[in-house]
Amino acid sequence: MYPKNLKTPFKLPLKSQVFKSVDTIPQTYWDSVNCCTNIYYSPEFLKAFELANTDIEFNYIFILKDQEAVAFANTQIVTIGVETITKNIKMSDNIRYRVNNLFCNNHIRVLFCGNIFLSGEYGTFLKHGEDKIATFKAIAQAVKQLSKSTKKLKAIFIKDFENESLPITNHLTSYDYTAMNVEPNMIITLKPEWHSFDDYTNALKSKYRVKANRADAKSQALVTKLFSEEDIETHKDALQALYQNTIDNADFNAQILNLDTYILLKKAFQDTFIVKGYFLEDKLVGFLSAMQNETHLDAHFIGIDYSKNKEFAIYPRILNDYVRLGIATKSTQINLGRTASEIKSTLGAEPKTLTCYCKHKRYLPNQILKPFIKNVHIKSFKQHSVFK
């Protein structure tokens, strides 16, 4: 029983524990938090990235209540060039110059809470039934402690929260973080009556149906293959080169993925993890990758030979094939990820807003940085209405 003078039950204090490797995390912690039904929080998924990307420092945070795990957070520490961050953010040249100078135009170490290789809310998981605000604040405090113990760290970035989470995550402002919008995820909602790609295209307005069919027609010369683990290993260098092409054309990437990760993911998840290659006269000229996560199909990285892209419509064909995969896997939605938002909207994808939070580790530079962050605007795009 509780003492009579207490109006509410005594709340057990929350503590944190940090692990440097997935292998050192007790199975009881995973069982208690009960997060592994979502593939992106499973130890098998996280371990693939940890093993293949040795230049990244991974840390895994668990929040404990009476020695029972009640929350999980996934973090990585990476080194990024400041100009990589600022060159494609919509800001004046003067502001960009001042921000670059604030970081001495240098490479900086950044602590990310969230998966830097995924676009979406896959960084923190709170156990059902727990006090969400108190538990999330405990994660914020644990990230703070981790940042204090990390040498030469300049900034902290907590990423990709959907609007429904903001009443919880906005408490990060009390830890001196500043919120900023980033490019939205582009989501296609699949209707249950679509059993084939033809069913999907028949639901499109004529203009967009013609566009989808044209992409298939232009790409007829491409030969496609679903890759096994052995295929990924055989073509790994070509896959890495094609992926690098897309990175070079992207607005922003915090880190380059070592595609040995894909070999490990394929081994762990088999048909749930999909890699599809596109060949032109026996040469690999493109690929897509995707993960089936419960009822969702999530597009992961792609690679394209841009010298062949216009003639053979490699990228539009990849987008069409994501729709095909979504229908074939009986998914309810396809997450096409960020970037190229307008062309994705021509397939029926709609934006899902994402918010990130960031801060400089030191107090004074953080106060200088805040107004710049608040003035960051994501690139606008035309949202197409494609269905009849």
PDB file of all heavy atoms in Angstrom, residues 249-270:
ATOM      1  N   ASN A 249      23.807  12.767 -56.996  1.00  0.00           N
ATOM      2  CA  ASN A 249      22.720  13.591 -57.526  1.00  0.00           C
ATOM      3  C   ASN A 249      21.722  14.023 -56.462  1.00  0.00           C
ATOM      4  O   ASN A 249      20.808  14.785 -56.740  1.00  0.00           O
ATOM      5  CB  ASN A 249      21.973  12.820 -58.627  1.00  0.00           C
ATOM      6  CG  ASN A 249      22.676  12.890 -59.966  1.00  0.00           C
ATOM      7  OD1 ASN A 249      22.473  13.815 -60.745  1.00  0.00           O
ATOM      8  ND2 ASN A 249      23.531  11.915 -60.222  1.00  0.00           N
ATOM      9  N   ALA A 250      21.896  13.507 -55.242  1.00  0.00           N
ATOM     10  CA  ALA A 250      20.926  13.793 -54.182  1.00  0.00           C
ATOM     11  C   ALA A 250      21.201  15.143 -53.543  1.00  0.00           C
ATOM     12  O   ALA A 250      22.333  15.655 -53.572  1.00  0.00           O
ATOM     13  CB  ALA A 250      20.985  12.700 -53.117  1.00  0.00           C
ATOM     14  N   ASP A 251      20.145  15.722 -52.952  1.00  0.00           N
ATOM     15  CA  ASP A 251      20.298  16.986 -52.250  1.00  0.00           C
ATOM     16  C   ASP A 251      21.165  16.822 -51.004  1.00  0.00           C
ATOM     17  O   ASP A 251      22.007  17.641 -50.704  1.00  0.00           O
ATOM     18  CB  ASP A 251      18.920  17.525 -51.830  1.00  0.00           C
ATOM     19  CG  ASP A 251      18.152  18.092 -53.015  1.00  0.00           C
ATOM     20  OD1 ASP A 251      18.772  18.253 -54.075  1.00  0.00           O
ATOM     21  OD2 ASP A 251      16.962  18.359 -52.856  1.00  0.00           O
ATOM     22  N   PHE A 252      20.905  15.748 -50.255  1.00  0.00           N
ATOM     23  CA  PHE A 252      21.625  15.597 -49.000  1.00  0.00           C
ATOM     24  C   PHE A 252      21.631  14.145 -48.565  1.00  0.00           C
ATOM     25  O   PHE A 252      20.610  13.470 -48.607  1.00  0.00           O
ATOM     26  CB  PHE A 252      20.970  16.438 -47.898  1.00  0.00           C
ATOM     27  CG  PHE A 252      21.522  16.151 -46.515  1.00  0.00           C
ATOM     28  CD1 PHE A 252      22.801  16.555 -46.175  1.00  0.00           C
ATOM     29  CD2 PHE A 252      20.768  15.473 -45.573  1.00  0.00           C
ATOM     30  CE1 PHE A 252      23.323  16.288 -44.918  1.00  0.00           C
ATOM     31  CE2 PHE A 252      21.277  15.205 -44.310  1.00  0.00           C
ATOM     32  CZ  PHE A 252      22.556  15.620 -43.983  1.00  0.00           C
ATOM     33  N   ASN A 253      22.794  13.648 -48.194  1.00  0.00           N
ATOM     34  CA  ASN A 253      22.917  12.347 -47.557  1.00  0.00           C
ATOM     35  C   ASN A 253      23.924  12.444 -46.436  1.00  0.00           C
ATOM     36  O   ASN A 253      25.051  12.891 -46.632  1.00  0.00           O
ATOM     37  CB  ASN A 253      23.356  11.276 -48.564  1.00  0.00           C
ATOM     38  CG  ASN A 253      22.172  10.618 -49.251  1.00  0.00           C
ATOM     39  OD1 ASN A 253      21.726  11.081 -50.296  1.00  0.00           O
ATOM     40  ND2 ASN A 253      21.649   9.562 -48.651  1.00  0.00           N
ATOM     41  N   ALA A 254      23.496  12.039 -45.252  1.00  0.00           N
ATOM     42  CA  ALA A 254      24.379  12.147 -44.092  1.00  0.00           C
ATOM     43  C   ALA A 254      25.542  11.173 -44.181  1.00  0.00           C
ATOM     44  O   ALA A 254      26.634  11.464 -43.714  1.00  0.00           O
ATOM     45  CB  ALA A 254      23.585  11.894 -42.811  1.00  0.00           C
ATOM     46  N   GLN A 255      25.314  10.029 -44.808  1.00  0.00           N
ATOM     47  CA  GLN A 255      26.339   8.983 -44.824  1.00  0.00           C
ATOM     48  C   GLN A 255      26.111   8.077 -46.011  1.00  0.00           C
ATOM     49  O   GLN A 255      24.976   7.882 -46.464  1.00  0.00           O
ATOM     50  CB  GLN A 255      26.278   8.176 -43.525  1.00  0.00           C
ATOM     51  CG  GLN A 255      27.483   7.320 -43.250  1.00  0.00           C
ATOM     52  CD  GLN A 255      28.701   8.117 -42.802  1.00  0.00           C
ATOM     53  OE1 GLN A 255      28.599   9.312 -42.575  1.00  0.00           O
ATOM     54  NE2 GLN A 255      29.843   7.468 -42.681  1.00  0.00           N
ATOM     55  N   ILE A 256      27.190   7.514 -46.544  1.00  0.00           N
ATOM     56  CA  ILE A 256      27.099   6.575 -47.658  1.00  0.00           C
ATOM     57  C   ILE A 256      27.015   5.161 -47.099  1.00  0.00           C
ATOM     58  O   ILE A 256      27.844   4.747 -46.295  1.00  0.00           O
ATOM     59  CB  ILE A 256      28.309   6.722 -48.598  1.00  0.00           C
ATOM     60  CG1 ILE A 256      28.303   8.109 -49.245  1.00  0.00           C
ATOM     61  CG2 ILE A 256      28.297   5.636 -49.667  1.00  0.00           C
ATOM     62  CD1 ILE A 256      29.534   8.425 -50.052  1.00  0.00           C
ATOM     63  N   LEU A 257      26.008   4.431 -47.525  1.00  0.00           N
ATOM     64  CA  LEU A 257      25.792   3.070 -47.048  1.00  0.00           C
ATOM     65  C   LEU A 257      26.748   2.108 -47.746  1.00  0.00           C
ATOM     66  O   LEU A 257      26.879   2.123 -48.970  1.00  0.00           O
ATOM     67  CB  LEU A 257      24.352   2.644 -47.336  1.00  0.00           C
ATOM     68  CG  LEU A 257      23.954   1.233 -46.904  1.00  0.00           C
ATOM     69  CD1 LEU A 257      23.898   1.136 -45.388  1.00  0.00           C
ATOM     70  CD2 LEU A 257      22.604   0.842 -47.513  1.00  0.00           C
ATOM     71  N   ASN A 258      27.403   1.270 -46.967  1.00  0.00           N
ATOM     72  CA  ASN A 258      28.178   0.172 -47.536  1.00  0.00           C
ATOM     73  C   ASN A 258      27.191  -0.933 -47.893  1.00  0.00           C
ATOM     74  O   ASN A 258      26.481  -1.449 -47.026  1.00  0.00           O
ATOM     75  CB  ASN A 258      29.204  -0.327 -46.515  1.00  0.00           C
ATOM     76  CG  ASN A 258      30.123  -1.399 -47.090  1.00  0.00           C
ATOM     77  OD1 ASN A 258      29.693  -2.252 -47.856  1.00  0.00           O
ATOM     78  ND2 ASN A 258      31.393  -1.362 -46.708  1.00  0.00           N
ATOM     79  N   LEU A 259      27.141  -1.303 -49.165  1.00  0.00           N
ATOM     80  CA  LEU A 259      26.118  -2.248 -49.612  1.00  0.00           C
ATOM     81  C   LEU A 259      26.406  -3.692 -49.220  1.00  0.00           C
ATOM     82  O   LEU A 259      25.622  -4.592 -49.553  1.00  0.00           O
ATOM     83  CB  LEU A 259      25.891  -2.120 -51.114  1.00  0.00           C
ATOM     84  CG  LEU A 259      25.196  -0.817 -51.543  1.00  0.00           C
ATOM     85  CD1 LEU A 259      24.756  -0.884 -52.995  1.00  0.00           C
ATOM     86  CD2 LEU A 259      24.000  -0.482 -50.668  1.00  0.00           C
ATOM     87  N   ASP A 260      27.479  -3.936 -48.454  1.00  0.00           N
ATOM     88  CA  ASP A 260      27.584  -5.207 -47.746  1.00  0.00           C
ATOM     89  C   ASP A 260      26.387  -5.363 -46.813  1.00  0.00           C
ATOM     90  O   ASP A 260      25.988  -6.484 -46.482  1.00  0.00           O
ATOM     91  CB  ASP A 260      28.878  -5.266 -46.920  1.00  0.00           C
ATOM     92  CG  ASP A 260      30.096  -5.550 -47.782  1.00  0.00           C
ATOM     93  OD1 ASP A 260      29.933  -6.101 -48.891  1.00  0.00           O
ATOM     94  OD2 ASP A 260      31.219  -5.230 -47.345  1.00  0.00           O
ATOM     95  N   THR A 261      25.805  -4.222 -46.408  1.00  0.00           N
ATOM     96  CA  THR A 261      24.596  -4.235 -45.582  1.00  0.00           C
ATOM     97  C   THR A 261      23.500  -5.046 -46.256  1.00  0.00           C
ATOM     98  O   THR A 261      22.759  -5.793 -45.592  1.00  0.00           O
ATOM     99  CB  THR A 261      24.086  -2.793 -45.351  1.00  0.00           C
ATOM    100  OG1 THR A 261      25.155  -1.976 -44.883  1.00  0.00           O
ATOM    101  CG2 THR A 261      22.946  -2.778 -44.351  1.00  0.00           C
ATOM    102  N   TYR A 262      23.381  -4.931 -47.582  1.00  0.00           N
ATOM    103  CA  TYR A 262      22.315  -5.612 -48.304  1.00  0.00           C
ATOM    104  C   TYR A 262      22.506  -7.132 -48.300  1.00  0.00           C
ATOM    105  O   TYR A 262      21.534  -7.895 -48.285  1.00  0.00           O
ATOM    106  CB  TYR A 262      22.227  -5.094 -49.736  1.00  0.00           C
ATOM    107  CG  TYR A 262      21.497  -3.767 -49.866  1.00  0.00           C
ATOM    108  CD1 TYR A 262      21.112  -3.046 -48.744  1.00  0.00           C
ATOM    109  CD2 TYR A 262      21.180  -3.239 -51.110  1.00  0.00           C
ATOM    110  CE1 TYR A 262      20.442  -1.843 -48.850  1.00  0.00           C
ATOM    111  CE2 TYR A 262      20.499  -2.041 -51.235  1.00  0.00           C
ATOM    112  CZ  TYR A 262      20.134  -1.343 -50.093  1.00  0.00           C
ATOM    113  OH  TYR A 262      19.456  -0.156 -50.205  1.00  0.00           O
ATOM    114  N   ILE A 263      23.747  -7.563 -48.340  1.00  0.00           N
ATOM    115  CA  ILE A 263      24.023  -9.008 -48.264  1.00  0.00           C
ATOM    116  C   ILE A 263      23.528  -9.548 -46.922  1.00  0.00           C
ATOM    117  O   ILE A 263      22.874 -10.600 -46.863  1.00  0.00           O
ATOM    118  CB  ILE A 263      25.536  -9.275 -48.441  1.00  0.00           C
ATOM    119  CG1 ILE A 263      26.013  -8.778 -49.815  1.00  0.00           C
ATOM    120  CG2 ILE A 263      25.842 -10.760 -48.266  1.00  0.00           C
ATOM    121  CD1 ILE A 263      27.523  -8.800 -49.986  1.00  0.00           C
ATOM    122  N   LEU A 264      23.808  -8.807 -45.858  1.00  0.00           N
ATOM    123  CA  LEU A 264      23.395  -9.224 -44.519  1.00  0.00           C
ATOM    124  C   LEU A 264      21.882  -9.151 -44.352  1.00  0.00           C
ATOM    125  O   LEU A 264      21.271 -10.031 -43.723  1.00  0.00           O
ATOM    126  CB  LEU A 264      24.094  -8.353 -43.470  1.00  0.00           C
ATOM    127  CG  LEU A 264      25.623  -8.461 -43.444  1.00  0.00           C
ATOM    128  CD1 LEU A 264      26.219  -7.366 -42.560  1.00  0.00           C
ATOM    129  CD2 LEU A 264      26.058  -9.832 -42.946  1.00  0.00           C
ATOM    130  N   LEU A 265      21.251  -8.118 -44.907  1.00  0.00           N
ATOM    131  CA  LEU A 265      19.798  -7.993 -44.815  1.00  0.00           C
ATOM    132  C   LEU A 265      19.106  -9.119 -45.584  1.00  0.00           C
ATOM    133  O   LEU A 265      18.095  -9.673 -45.126  1.00  0.00           O
ATOM    134  CB  LEU A 265      19.332  -6.636 -45.347  1.00  0.00           C
ATOM    135  CG  LEU A 265      19.652  -5.412 -44.486  1.00  0.00           C
ATOM    136  CD1 LEU A 265      19.223  -4.129 -45.204  1.00  0.00           C
ATOM    137  CD2 LEU A 265      18.970  -5.496 -43.120  1.00  0.00           C
ATOM    138  N   LYS A 266      19.626  -9.451 -46.751  1.00  0.00           N
ATOM    139  CA  LYS A 266      19.035 -10.524 -47.544  1.00  0.00           C
ATOM    140  C   LYS A 266      19.166 -11.859 -46.817  1.00  0.00           C
ATOM    141  O   LYS A 266      18.227 -12.673 -46.813  1.00  0.00           O
ATOM    142  CB  LYS A 266      19.710 -10.592 -48.916  1.00  0.00           C
ATOM    143  CG  LYS A 266      18.976 -11.475 -49.924  1.00  0.00           C
ATOM    144  CD  LYS A 266      17.602 -10.919 -50.257  1.00  0.00           C
ATOM    145  CE  LYS A 266      16.867 -11.749 -51.282  1.00  0.00           C
ATOM    146  NZ  LYS A 266      15.501 -11.263 -51.539  1.00  0.00           N
ATOM    147  N   LYS A 267      20.301 -12.069 -46.197  1.00  0.00           N
ATOM    148  CA  LYS A 267      20.514 -13.308 -45.441  1.00  0.00           C
ATOM    149  C   LYS A 267      19.544 -13.402 -44.274  1.00  0.00           C
ATOM    150  O   LYS A 267      18.998 -14.475 -43.986  1.00  0.00           O
ATOM    151  CB  LYS A 267      21.958 -13.359 -44.937  1.00  0.00           C
ATOM    152  CG  LYS A 267      22.314 -14.648 -44.213  1.00  0.00           C
ATOM    153  CD  LYS A 267      23.790 -14.676 -43.852  1.00  0.00           C
ATOM    154  CE  LYS A 267      24.164 -16.005 -43.217  1.00  0.00           C
ATOM    155  NZ  LYS A 267      25.629 -16.067 -42.904  1.00  0.00           N
ATOM    156  N   ALA A 268      19.294 -12.270 -43.605  1.00  0.00           N
ATOM    157  CA  ALA A 268      18.445 -12.270 -42.410  1.00  0.00           C
ATOM    158  C   ALA A 268      16.960 -12.314 -42.746  1.00  0.00           C
ATOM    159  O   ALA A 268      16.182 -12.963 -42.036  1.00  0.00           O
ATOM    160  CB  ALA A 268      18.759 -11.041 -41.553  1.00  0.00           C
ATOM    161  N   PHE A 269      16.555 -11.626 -43.821  1.00  0.00           N
ATOM    162  CA  PHE A 269      15.119 -11.429 -44.063  1.00  0.00           C
ATOM    163  C   PHE A 269      14.588 -12.094 -45.332  1.00  0.00           C
ATOM    164  O   PHE A 269      13.377 -12.051 -45.580  1.00  0.00           O
ATOM    165  CB  PHE A 269      14.809  -9.922 -44.079  1.00  0.00           C
ATOM    166  CG  PHE A 269      15.055  -9.261 -42.759  1.00  0.00           C
ATOM    167  CD1 PHE A 269      16.185  -8.473 -42.564  1.00  0.00           C
ATOM    168  CD2 PHE A 269      14.176  -9.438 -41.708  1.00  0.00           C
ATOM    169  CE1 PHE A 269      16.424  -7.868 -41.341  1.00  0.00           C
ATOM    170  CE2 PHE A 269      14.403  -8.830 -40.481  1.00  0.00           C
ATOM    171  CZ  PHE A 269      15.528  -8.054 -40.286  1.00  0.00           C
ATOM    172  N   GLN A 270      15.480 -12.682 -46.133  1.00  0.00           N
ATOM    173  CA  GLN A 270      15.068 -13.439 -47.305  1.00  0.00           C
ATOM    174  C   GLN A 270      14.128 -12.622 -48.207  1.00  0.00           C
ATOM    175  O   GLN A 270      14.457 -11.528 -48.601  1.00  0.00           O
ATOM    176  CB  GLN A 270      14.431 -14.766 -46.871  1.00  0.00           C
ATOM    177  CG  GLN A 270      15.393 -15.662 -46.080  1.00  0.00           C
ATOM    178  CD  GLN A 270      16.585 -16.132 -46.899  1.00  0.00           C
ATOM    179  OE1 GLN A 270      16.435 -16.617 -48.017  1.00  0.00           O
ATOM    180  NE2 GLN A 270      17.792 -15.984 -46.355  1.00  0.00           N
TER     181      GLN A 270
END
